Amino acid sequence: MKLFNFYKNTFKHGIHPPEHKDDTKDLPIKQFSFAPVFILPMEQHIGGPSELLVNEGQEVDRGQLIAKANGYMSVPVHAPVSGVIRKITKVPTVSGKMVTGVYLEAFPYSGQEVREGIPLDPEDASKEQILNAIQQAGIVGLGGAAFPTHVKLKVPEDKQCDVLLLNGVECEPYLTTDHRVMLEQSDDVFMGIRYLLKATGAKKCIIGIEANKQNAADHLEKNIPEGLPVEIRVVPVKYPQGAEKMLITSVLDIEVPSGGLPIDVGVVVVNVATSAEIGRLLPHGQGIQERVVTITGPGVKKKGNYLIPIGTPIRYVLEEVGISDQISEVYLGGPMMGVAISNLDIPVVKGTSGIVVYTKDEVPDVQREFPCIKCGSCVDACPISLNPSKMGLLSRVKAYDEMAETCNLMDCFECGSCSYVCPSNIPLVQRFRIAKSIVRKRKAKAHA
Amino acid sequence: MRNQTLNISTSPHLKKGVTTDVIMKNVVYALIPATAFSIYVFGLSALLTIGMSVTSCLLTEHFLCKWSGKASTINDYSAVITGVLLGLTLPPIFPLWMTFMGGVIAIGLGKYLFGGLGYNVFNPALVGRAVLQAAFPVAITTWYPALMSDRFTSVASSLYTLPFMQPFFDGQSGATPLSAFKFDHISAETTDLVFGFVSGSTGETCTIAIVLGGLYLIYRGMMNWKIPVSIIASAFLFSGMLYLYNPELYPTPWFIVFSGGLMLGAFFMATDMVGSPITNLGVIIYGSFIGILVVIIRIWGGLPEGVMYAILLGNALAPQLDRVIQPRVYGTSKLSKS
């Protein structure tokens, strides 16, 4: 049975890039020091920007609400530090866009105690109360996409959630935050599961973990609280298994319909770190002020997993951990789907799972692009069985509509496996991103 | 920390790092055993044939690139492969000027006219050989016995024949196992075929040397093993059925599989990534098509050998297979529209 499962417990195709996790996977989470000035953009999540509640010059306490949710698809922002609002202005973000935000100057001698709010007991609270509390705590998916968690947890009237699937896969190379969270914050993870089960109405919870984190799986398995319907499932190491749909296929052996959501097959997927955050904040009625970030890569001197207050400028982070003189690229997130930044004066936000610093040696020279030799590597790599080779040829002639209509372009979730394997260095996923955005714009235009 | 200039690129920021030229280079490495063995069996004549073929392919590629104002692409190794393969499929005593012409045609007509690497429909080496076969039917079916005692000291005079001269093959020609079977119904020993101590084209005789190179490429993940397997299996099964039906009339499946250019074709020509389909199902149909066609041409066709035509027809089929057969996209129940 076990042997049978070994082959079964994963999705088709995918790739296995070098993991690079050894540098940080055994390093316990360390509290990061407070920066002198914090940058808090109002757009840290997908959805409407948060609405500022403070004025320039106002003093705030750590954990205090400084911006409220602007509508259902939005979450609030809390002060990561006790200090004074120095400036309300446009601040730089990962996307390169300037958005409304604040500069918050920390009080250097503050005790940085977080005020207690109204606690919520998972057993007594109603579904709506929990969803509301999750939104008020400012929680978004901590895996990287920063989708408001309460929206994801809201099961539509006509659907039912059978399984709550916790994502502890962490398939991106270099990143070890979820690994450390599972090892060090298992009680918070399980506490979060109590709220999540109640909120979704799911009868059981499965935690999917890749085999390179066996110790985390063992630790969680040992500590499952009495009576909590939690099952640990170890899956083979493979990228992009952390993608919701891939994880669902790996663990439950079902496919989410094209264009559909996990709830269409009765599943809600939540990142383990998000669950830990819910389990830590809700019992105290607090808002999110910090998150675990892996700081690693060949250019970093003090690599590690750090609990970093949200809003800490990347420049300050890198100064504290020390970087080599030869740095050439900095990525937020993992190297497969993360974003390269050119500006170090952007802050760590809720969605920042890692900071990876490369030196000149690691970044290859601009590689020559060969013609497609139809080797089929991309077809064998694509986790959702698209035909990147064909789409690549269509994108050359700008046949974007044909790509969408006949090649399921819009199903591509941009994992980059095709570009990773392509021997001809053809920027496949990069072209598909462009194609997708053009198709989206055309559709929007057609509807308008 | 002073202000750093940071590079910006879009994800993924990692690459597997096996580039097209690396793959091509490894194919050249994989052809070394077959090449070395052919030189051992046929001596200096084989060395000259292969050398001339490679030289003419490289010169043609280089010249055409320069002529059209592009950077030369000879260092992607694909022209070397074409040259080696063409040389290996020609008889060891083939006049050198014809070999040179074959190389020019292979690259010029078979590859460059279609747009170069990646755009050619047919295997360039086989295009070159097909034209040579049509133009010089006698020369290309004049063979040389294996393991001649003077093979390292002298060279067949026909190699030096000039254009517009009738090559003189001075009685050295010997039948290949395939032509012996086709025209005189004499079947060769399977072991001789496997080891390659028979007459035939320069490099297609030794199964062991070819399979060795093929296994290396499969091990490195640079060859689709399903192609040779489906070609050999389908040829074996189809000829086996015929043999069981009438052992008097039809050769054994072992003979079919190990004789002629089947092994070289299955491992090194049909597997040319550019000319073969992309999807798994497509590859299996493509391979079976070639395997069955080889048997049909060999047994009922006018020529003793059919691998070249079978693969060229397979190449023609491949784009159609790619058009019709698409992988089933995740989350869709039917085969996606094509």
Side-chain angles (χ1 to χ4, degrees), chain B residues 182-183 293-306 309:
Chain B
K182 177 104 200 158
F183 304 116
L293 219 51
V294 167
V295 178
I296 291 174
I297 298 174
R298 279 185 181 180
I299 290 178
W300 290 291
L303 292 165
E305 171 67 303
Y309 292 112

Side-chain angles (χ1 to χ4, degrees), chain A residues 249 255 258 328 335 374 419 423-424, chain B residues 7 13 15 20 118 328 330-331:
Chain A
T249 305
E255 289 186 8
S258 163
S328 92
K374 303 179 185 74
S419 293
S424 293
Chain B
N7 293 329
H13 307 290
K15 278 293 288 180
T20 297
R328 186 187 65 85
Y330 177 96

Side-chain angles (χ1 to χ4, degrees), chain B residues 281-326:
Chain B
L281 181 62
V283 156
I284 290 165
I285 296 174
Y286 165 84
S288 314
F289 176 78
I290 293 172
I292 290 168
L293 219 51
V294 167
V295 178
I296 291 174
I297 298 174
R298 279 185 181 180
I299 290 178
W300 290 291
L303 292 165
E305 171 67 303
V307 172
M308 177 179 79
Y309 292 112
I311 294 176
L312 285 173
L313 286 167
N315 288 158
L317 183 70
Q320 311 310 319
L321 289 172
D322 273 341
R323 222 161 45 115
V324 176
I325 300 167
Q326 293 294 322

